[in-house]
Amino acid sequence: MRPGATPRPAVLDQLRGALALTLPLTLPLLLLACGGDPPPVDPTPTPPVTSVAPPEARSQLAALAAAAQDRHLTASYRLSVAGREDRTVVVTTATDRSWRVDIPGGALGGTADVAVAQNGAGLFQCALPSAGWAVPADCVRVGDPDAGLAGSIDPRVQHPFTDWRDVLTDRQAALSVSVSPPLPGAAGTCFSVESTTVSVGPPLDVGIYCYDRDGTLTGARLSFGTLVLAGPPAAAPASVSLPGPVVDREPLRMAAPPPEDPSASPSVDQQQ
């Protein structure tokens, strides 16, 4: 094109087309050469990941133990202890929050049957007629309703149905909880419970606790043996009743009574 000549419209169209093709390619290089940043590139939108994490075992156990606190029933459990015949433990948790747990062979070295019961009047240990207690049933008040049993008279079997549930619902309790393989015969979900602190008197037995979805304890493997629900629970009474009158005597101890001393028995000559 001669100097001073006016570009023809066709030539202008060709120049515009060339610039349209080359400018997007050369602009980033020009910006880099001048120290500028390249224009941002819109990332390809990624769809959000929607996943639901499984409930933490500690929270799940606490929720089931809380449901157990509101569960009112009458239920039978098979108690298995190494070296002994299986026994049937009967648990009653009434609608007025009184409770009673009948434990065959729960005292005197396994020779006496006992019941541990709590109502508004106090905490009681009751002796039931058995081989080691051949008298009518009676009960001894051992403390206020919120009291605990001394170790020498505590069969421990009642705790999973009473105060240990408070520990399982306490998120601040020093416990380590994980889901456990189920105990044979126990429905629902089983949890392995361990203590995270070294304590002379831990607040509950470590071991395995199994709960159904409605809060029914279906099984437990603890220091005193293994409990497994023996059948569907029945309705709870309005209040538990003690199996006998309240009397003034010493509660039955867990240990077996000492053997009789043969030398203390009168001889035939002495009897004559």
Side-chain angles (χ1 to χ4, degrees):
M1 181 180 297
R2 295 189 305 274
T6 301
R8 297 177 182 178
V11 175
L12 290 176
D13 292 339
Q14 294 175 359
L15 290 174
R16 292 190 187 98
L19 288 173
L21 292 173
T22 59
L23 187 58
L25 299 176
T26 57
L27 183 58
L29 298 176
L30 292 173
L31 291 174
L32 289 174
C34 296
D37 294 326
V41 179
D42 292 335
T44 302
T46 303
V49 178
T50 57
S51 61
V52 179
E56 186 212 2
R58 181 72 183 90
S59 298
Q60 188 178 1
L61 175 58
L64 291 170
Q69 292 176 319
D70 295 326
R71 188 86 168 92
H72 308 296
L73 50 76
T74 299
S76 297
Y77 290 81
R78 184 180 70 253
L79 174 60
S80 301
V81 180
R84 298 186 63 176
E85 293 185 359
D86 289 354
R87 293 166 281 163
T88 299
V89 172
V90 179
V91 177
T92 303
T93 55
T95 55
D96 67 350
R97 296 193 177 277
S98 60
W99 54 264
R100 171 178 159 181
V101 180
D102 291 20
I103 310 161
L108 299 183
T111 62
D113 300 347
V114 293
V116 181
Q118 178 265 325
N119 59 27
L123 180 67
F124 300 87
Q125 185 217 59
C126 302
L128 306 176
S130 52
W133 192 259
V135 294
D138 59 18
C139 299
V140 178
R141 187 180 186 275
V142 293
D144 294 333
D146 58 350
L149 292 176
S152 60
I153 62 172
D154 188 359
R156 300 183 68 79
V157 181
Q158 76 280 359
H159 290 297
F161 308 98
T162 57
D163 55 307
W164 287 353
R165 299 183 304 192
D166 297 335
V167 183
L168 295 177
T169 58
D170 183 4
R171 306 297 180 91
Q172 304 303 317
L175 301 177
S176 173
V177 180
S178 60
V179 177
S180 167
L183 291 178
T189 306
C190 296
F191 302 87
S192 175
V193 178
E194 301 291 338
S195 175
T196 58
T197 61
V198 178
S199 175
V200 176
L204 82 173
D205 270 9
V206 299
I208 297 175
Y209 295 78
C210 304
Y211 284 95
D212 212 343
R213 290 181 296 177
D214 61 0
T216 301
L217 183 76
T218 60
R221 179 176 291 165
L222 304 168
S223 66
F224 56 78
T226 300
L227 288 165
V228 175
L229 185 65
S239 181
V240 300
S241 58
L242 299 179
V246 178
V247 298
D248 184 13
R249 62 166 176 79
E250 290 295 318
L252 302 184
R253 294 182 173 272
M254 297 300 100
E260 295 183 2
D261 184 0
S263 63
S265 299
S267 63
V268 175
D269 294 339
Q270 290 174 333
Q271 291 177 353
Q272 294 176 350

